[in-house]
Amino acid sequence: MPGNSTASSPSTVLGRQLGDELRRLRESAQLTTSEAAEAVDCTKGKISRIENGRVTVRLPDLTAMLHAYGATDTELRDRLAMLARKANRRRRQGWWNQYGSMLADTYRDYIALEAMADTIRTFQAQLVPGLLQIPEYIRAVTVASRQWQTADEIEQFVRVRLTRQERLADDSPLRLWAVLSEAVLLQQVGGPEVMKAQLEHLLAISERANVTIQVLPFSRGAHASMFGPYVVLGFPEEAALDVVLADNPTGSVWLEREAEVTRYRELFDAARTSALSPVESRSVIRRRSKEHRT
């Protein structure tokens, strides 16, 4: 997770921010989506998709919408035009686009959002989070998935994941908080030697100020997060809402509604509260590392 599973595409953060403002302007003008579509000469569905941040907004369309909504303030119009250009540029210019069809839309969407996020909170039931995986672990997971057949494809996927990890060490590093089931430490991904190196990497990276790792031990028994992994992405833009990517039996699903996101925030809070402290977790990781004998 995330991988080449099927899911609805998420809106980008900047696109959602623009869409929220356009919705507010439409409602202030007391226009329905049907009336707005008629005024702008497009479909009702297009207005909805723009307001949900799911499609790019061309500047001529933006100008037509602002005119229809009676938005004449020059500063507001310039700010929204800049936001539209920035959102469209983010969609086109991400480094991940160079990998073309090798990455499913779901994974590309996830990487795009991850690139804009400033915080990630995740619960993982079986695998080390991708941002914390060493190359040998990534390679073992990729081979086991059977989604990539050639050695070149596998190595490209490894490079993608390692490039994602650069967010943890850039000038404005991503803050990562991961709660791992104890099963993550025991699953023999790649064999004992790889697991020993992977757990030693977790110990080293957990010393960073922007990385928090907690272990949820088996002794805690049943808990609300045991039904599947999830990631909660938070963003620095003012008024930007969190986004959740959660696994279910048929794949991964994006959740953006406030009630759904709130539920996953509560799940994560319960998981981190039940888990061992970061210091205690490092002790467990160290002990489990020694158990992976080569």
Side-chain angles (χ1 to χ4, degrees), residues 54-257:
R54 297 186 182 276
V55 294
T56 58
V57 183
R58 298 187 308 116
L59 291 181
D61 290 337
L62 177 63
T63 299
M65 294 174 77
L66 294 176
H67 177 73
Y69 302 162
T72 58
D73 181 83
T74 301
E75 184 177 342
L76 171 66
R77 294 170 70 96
D78 289 346
R79 182 171 61 81
L80 294 185
M82 183 178 296
L83 188 60
R85 284 192 290 267
K86 189 176 180 182
N88 295 343
R89 190 164 57 249
R90 283 282 184 89
R91 292 175 190 263
R92 294 192 305 268
Q93 296 180 347
W95 60 264
W96 47 90
N97 288 320
Q98 67 183 285
Y99 291 93
S101 60
M102 195 203 82
L103 302 179
D105 289 343
T106 304
Y107 195 27
R108 281 199 300 271
D109 288 334
Y110 178 83
I111 297 173
L113 287 179
E114 185 179 78
M116 290 184 276
D118 65 347
T119 62
I120 285 182
R121 288 162 287 177
T122 182
F123 172 80
Q124 293 295 323
Q126 275 194 304
L127 291 173
V128 171
L131 289 172
L132 302 177
Q133 294 175 2
I134 62 173
E136 295 80 6
Y137 189 101
I138 300 170
R139 198 169 288 112
V141 170
T142 307
V143 171
S145 73
R146 299 185 179 181
Q147 294 180 24
W148 296 272
Q149 302 300 320
T150 69
D152 183 61
E153 288 175 337
I154 292 169
E155 291 310 308
Q156 284 191 65
F157 188 82
V158 173
R159 287 198 296 273
V160 168
R161 187 149 290 183
L162 293 176
T163 303
R164 285 175 50 205
Q165 295 178 7
E166 293 176 6
R167 281 296 327 277
L168 294 175
D170 62 19
D171 293 337
S172 181
L174 180 70
R175 297 192 302 275
L176 173 64
W177 194 334
V179 176
L180 313 179
S181 166
E182 191 172 1
V184 173
L185 312 182
L186 299 176
Q187 189 76 28
Q188 289 277 349
V189 176
E193 185 174 352
V194 170
M195 281 305 301
K196 183 176 180 62
Q198 176 63 73
L199 296 188
E200 289 174 350
H201 177 68
L202 290 184
L203 288 171
I205 203 167
S206 67
E207 299 289 347
R208 294 186 184 180
N210 60 309
V211 176
T212 300
I213 299 174
Q214 291 181 260
V215 174
L216 187 54
F218 294 136
S219 60
R220 294 292 193 265
H223 56 89
S225 290
M226 66 190 299
F227 300 103
Y230 53 86
V231 181
V232 183
L233 299 103
F235 305 92
E237 284 81 8
E238 185 177 354
L241 299 176
D242 289 354
V243 178
V244 173
L245 183 62
D247 277 5
N248 63 32
T250 59
S252 298
V253 60
W254 289 103
L255 303 171
E256 299 182 85
R257 295 177 182 172

Side-chain angles (χ1 to χ4, degrees), residues 34-44 46-47 61 64-65 68:
S34 296
E35 291 168 337
E38 184 176 353
V40 178
D41 192 23
C42 69
T43 66
K44 175 183 175 182
K46 182 174 181 177
I47 295 295
D61 290 337
M65 294 174 77

